[in-house]
């Protein structure tokens, strides 16, 4: 369960870095757009919730308690978060990327 939390936090950090590095056709980076910042903030908050569920499950296991509902809840929370992260990743380059095209040499893909 801790693996879910670490993977989500890593993806959120990568998306934040990508948004800061991706320049849109307007000359602003993707991170300059309020909607993208809001989506990234929500994803960061959801990753924090997953972290708390993982801490609770690890604490229970360390105290010799059987796994509770935390693991099931974490998996239920994780799936929509992953979908949202994919949606955010698709929105960072913007619609101009479809017109300009993103190839392997594009800075937005790296």
């Amino acid at each position: 369960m801790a693996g879910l939390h670490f993977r989500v936090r890593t993806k959120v950090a990568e998306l934040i870095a990508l948004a800061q590095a991706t320049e849109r056709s307007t000359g602003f980076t993707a991170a300059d757009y309020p909607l993208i910042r809001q989506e990234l903030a929500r994803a960061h908050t959801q990753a924090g919730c997953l972290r708390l569920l993982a801490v609770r499950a690890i604490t229970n296991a360390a105290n010799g308690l059987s796994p509770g509902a935390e693991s099931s809840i974490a998996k239920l929370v994780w799936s929509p978060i992953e979908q949202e992260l994919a949606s955010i990743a698709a929105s960072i380059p913007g619609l101009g990327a479809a017109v300009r095209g993103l190839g392997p040499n594009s800075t937005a893909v790296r």
Side-chain angles (χ1 to χ4, degrees):
M1 182 163 126
L4 294 178
H5 143 63
F6 286 122
R7 282 192 300 271
V8 169
R9 287 187 64 151
T10 300
K11 287 180 183 180
V12 170
E14 289 172 351
L15 286 175
I16 290 171
L18 179 63
Q20 292 170 338
T22 302
E23 188 172 320
R24 295 277 191 91
S25 60
T26 59
F28 295 101
T29 66
D32 293 327
Y33 288 85
L35 183 59
I36 291 179
R37 282 198 314 266
Q38 179 182 359
E39 290 173 346
L40 289 169
R42 181 177 350 169
H44 187 285
T45 303
Q46 291 172 337
C49 291
L50 266 180
R51 178 184 145 316
L52 293 174
L53 285 169
V55 167
R56 183 172 176 178
I58 291 168
T59 301
N60 284 346
N63 291 328
L65 301 173
S66 62
E70 299 86 18
S71 297
S72 298
I73 293 170
K75 289 176 186 175
L76 288 173
V77 170
W78 167 77
S79 180
I81 291 173
E82 284 288 337
Q83 292 172 1
E84 186 163 339
L85 292 176
S87 175
I88 294 169
S91 70
I92 287 176
L95 294 176
V99 176
R100 291 187 313 270
L102 289 175
N105 297 325
S106 172
T107 57
V109 175
R110 291 184 191 155

